[in-house]
Amino acid sequence: MSNNDIFIKKLRSSGLRPTKQRIEISKFLFDRVKTFHFTINSLNNDLKKKNHKISLATIYNTIHAFRKKGYLKQISINTDKSYFDTNVTNHHHFFNEKTKELIDLSNDDVGYVKINKTIPGKKINSIEILVKIANSN
């Protein structure tokens, strides 16, 4: 199966028609060796740099459809800033408050975490830690 076929399948399974623009978004996100973090605005800027003419609405709808399907993970930094991660495994993050960079932190880099509170009728599915860092000077 070619990469285009894989991207078309991802789009269709996400409830999206595989248009040329959505296939370009898929290629940019998933046709790479390393996973990465992005915001919708940074993705829009990166696609523009590659001369892809894709509306912000198409980018937004595609990213959120992929997130709902489990192809992307959303990391909320605060109430008005969300990053997306192409690494959907359970892992932790450093967030550099000055550069606004999100950096993966493996599970091995974090010790045992104990949660002392429970919510009736709920169970913990995963624990993901966000460590906010700043320059030390």
Side-chain angles (χ1 to χ4, degrees), residues 13-104:
S13 73
S14 301
L16 297 171
R17 213 166 32 93
T19 63
K20 179 182 173 189
Q21 292 84 3
R22 289 182 180 137
I23 291 171
E24 290 303 321
I25 294 169
S26 298
K27 283 181 184 177
F28 189 85
L29 294 176
F30 304 115
D31 195 12
R32 54 179 66 221
V33 175
K34 293 184 75 170
T35 61
F36 74 108
H37 307 100
F38 63 92
T39 64
I40 289 180
N41 285 334
S42 70
L43 178 61
N44 184 35
N45 290 336
D46 289 341
L47 290 167
K48 281 181 183 176
K49 286 177 191 171
K50 295 199 175 276
N51 293 323
H52 297 302
K53 294 184 184 348
I54 304 171
S55 75
L56 189 58
T58 297
I59 294 169
Y60 181 89
N61 291 333
T62 303
I63 295 309
H64 283 284
F66 282 163
R67 180 194 53 79
K68 287 177 188 170
K69 192 64 176 172
Y71 299 138
L72 296 171
K73 179 186 289 193
Q74 185 171 0
I75 299 114
S76 295
I77 302 299
N78 54 38
T79 57
D80 65 339
K81 188 74 156 192
S82 285
Y83 284 76
F84 295 88
D85 194 344
T86 57
N87 178 356
V88 294
T89 65
N90 287 336
H91 63 285
H92 313 289
H93 292 96
F94 281 122
F95 179 69
N96 186 322
E97 292 181 316
K98 184 173 182 170
T99 65
K100 308 299 182 206
E101 181 183 14
L102 199 60
I103 304 159
D104 283 343

